[in-house]
Each structure stands twice: as C-alpha cells, then as structure tokens.
Amino acid sequence: GQQVMQIPQYQHVQEGEDFTTYCNSSTTLSNIQWYKQRPGGHPVFLIQLVKSGEVKKQKRLTFQFGEAKKNSSLHITATQTTDVGTYFCAGWFGNEKLTFGTGTRLTIIP
Amino acid sequence: NAGVTQTPKFQVLKTGQSMTLQCAQDMNHNSMYWYRQDPGMGLRLIYYSASEGTTDKGEVPNGYNVSRLNKREFSLRLESAAPSQTSVYFCASKEQVWQGLFFGSGTQLSVL
C-alpha cells in the first residue's frame, strides 16, 4: 500500500540547536504537505511543496522536496521552546486521500 | 469564525455500545475527513467525503460508518465499540484539491 515513513520518531535537542526530520514515500508524490501538532492540540497545516527539488522557507523552518518527489525534509534552525510538538509530513495519493507519516516528536531541553 | 467543530470532546464507552461523533465546518469546504490518531502511528484515514453526497473508505474503515448529512456536516458512527477503537479522532476539511486540511480539536474516545 501507499506508505509515508518518517524518521526519527523522537528528537530531543538543546534549545538553540538545529533539528531535522525526514520523510520518505513508497511511491512518487504529486505534492507533499507538512503539519505541526502541539502537545494536546490538533494538526495545523504549515506548507505544501509541489515541484521537484523545491525549497521553501518560513522564518527558521526550511522545507525541501526531493528531486524524485519521493522524499522531503523539514529543518529548523536554532530551535526555540515554541517549536515543541510533533511534525508530520503527508502526501496526496490521488486527489482526495492524504496519507500522513508517523511523525517526529520534538522536545526542547531549555 | 469557528472553523471545524467536533463534539463531544471526550467520551467513554463500554464494549458493544454505539455512538456518533459529530463534525461541522463553516468554511463552505467541499471535502471532509475522519482520521484516528494512535501513539506512534500518526494519523490514519478512516473515511472521507469528497463532496456532499459521496463517501469513500480510507485506510482503516472497519467498524465505522459515516454520513455526509449536508455540505457542513460529516458524522462518524461506531455501531459496536471495541477496545481497539480507543483513540483520538480528528475531523478535517478542505476547500479544493490538494489544499491543506483544517482540523477540529479532536474527540478523545475510550472504550472499556
């Protein structure tokens, strides 16, 4: 079946360190989305990448879509306590089925 | 502007009981979704509705039924609850193809 794998499952970093989570799909994706879920909250849409090799930035967050459109990454520079949460990638299989990765839970050590 | 509203927020059921989770969105979105979230497994799609009057199965539909009552409302029914259905359930919606999903605040369901 269509799967989206994400690593690592957990990441603990000192405040100020960088953080990266990686996402891999079993098949080529038409596009990929990233979501953030704060502890006890609901997922919130961050960004969508569509083009092969695309790179987008949101302040300290950098999102990349692989050349083969089968992998993606999210990099956070100089983490802050507000970055705590679980980050999910998600890929569209067809027009209406959005499949989520297993997520990476980020905790920050002050 | 409420966005996506889910009720109830918490529910405890006994094995074999039935219940309906309600979801309503006020953004005039066409597509609506039900996901369940379990520790270490991310969000798994149960059912979705691409438009009013249509519903389709996702990854884990067994034990669930849905109804797209109108454009605003999409309900999820557990006919005979089982402990394996203990989870957090999220409803979501989007306006157009391949857009980001807007999520409700979730329903935490425990089946004893």
Side-chain angles (χ1 to χ4, degrees):
Chain A
Q2 297 140 345
Q3 291 186 338
V4 180
M5 307 301 292
Q6 215 173 326
I7 56 170
Q9 189 172 1
Y10 302 95
Q11 187 78 56
H12 312 282
V13 300
Q14 292 275 354
E15 187 175 7
E17 290 183 341
D18 292 357
F19 159 78
T20 304
T21 175
Y22 301 90
C23 181
N24 289 284
S25 168
S26 56
T27 59
T28 301
L29 297 167
S30 50
N31 56 52
I32 196 157
Q33 298 181 343
W34 285 91
Y35 292 76
K36 177 182 179 181
Q37 183 177 23
R38 295 182 184 275
H42 59 275
V44 174
F45 174 70
L46 295 176
I47 206 163
Q48 176 168 276
L49 304 172
V50 178
K51 299 176 184 177
S52 170
E54 188 170 13
V55 178
K56 287 188 176 181
K57 292 189 176 185
Q58 288 181 349
K59 297 182 180 178
R60 295 176 295 102
L61 277 62
T62 301
F63 304 85
Q64 293 190 344
F65 200 11
E67 294 290 341
K69 300 185 76 174
K70 295 180 71 173
N71 62 287
S72 182
S73 64
L74 158 60
H75 180 82
I76 302 178
T77 303
T79 54
Q80 300 175 357
T81 54
T82 53
D83 296 324
V84 164
T86 301
Y87 293 85
F88 293 97
C89 62
W92 287 105
F93 293 93
N95 287 343
E96 295 294 340
K97 281 191 178 182
L98 186 64
T99 297
F100 281 79
T102 47
T104 296
R105 182 186 294 181
L106 172 63
T107 56
I108 307 287
I109 306 165
Chain B
N1 195 351
V4 180
T5 303
Q6 287 183 240
T7 56
K9 293 191 184 301
F10 301 95
Q11 184 72 50
V12 179
L13 293 177
K14 293 181 180 178
T15 298
Q17 286 185 318
S18 62
M19 79 159 295
T20 300
L21 281 63
Q22 306 287 351
C23 175
Q25 51 91 10
D26 62 2
M27 296 173 284
N28 202 36
H29 285 174
N30 290 312
S31 302
M32 297 186 74
Y33 300 79
W34 278 105
Y35 285 88
R36 60 178 287 175
Q37 184 173 31
D38 303 293
M41 300 190 74
L43 293 118
R44 293 182 293 168
L45 181 63
I46 306 172
Y47 270 94
Y48 65 97
S49 170
S51 61
E52 186 178 355
T54 68
T55 60
D56 283 286
K57 295 178 181 179
E59 298 172 69
V60 289
N62 291 344
Y64 305 96
N65 286 301
V66 290
S67 296
R68 183 75 183 267
L69 304 170
N70 46 56
K71 193 171 186 179
R72 290 186 65 247
E73 298 172 287
F74 188 36
S75 62
L76 178 71
R77 182 160 178 86
L78 287 71
E79 290 291 351
S80 180
S84 61
Q85 294 178 305
T86 292
S87 188
V88 179
Y89 292 84
F90 287 102
C91 177
S93 70
K94 69 169 176 65
E95 184 177 11
Q96 294 180 6
V97 173
W98 295 347
Q99 287 195 334
L101 299 188
F102 288 82
F103 281 83
S105 57
T107 295
Q108 191 165 327
L109 175 67
S110 294
V111 183
L112 306 177

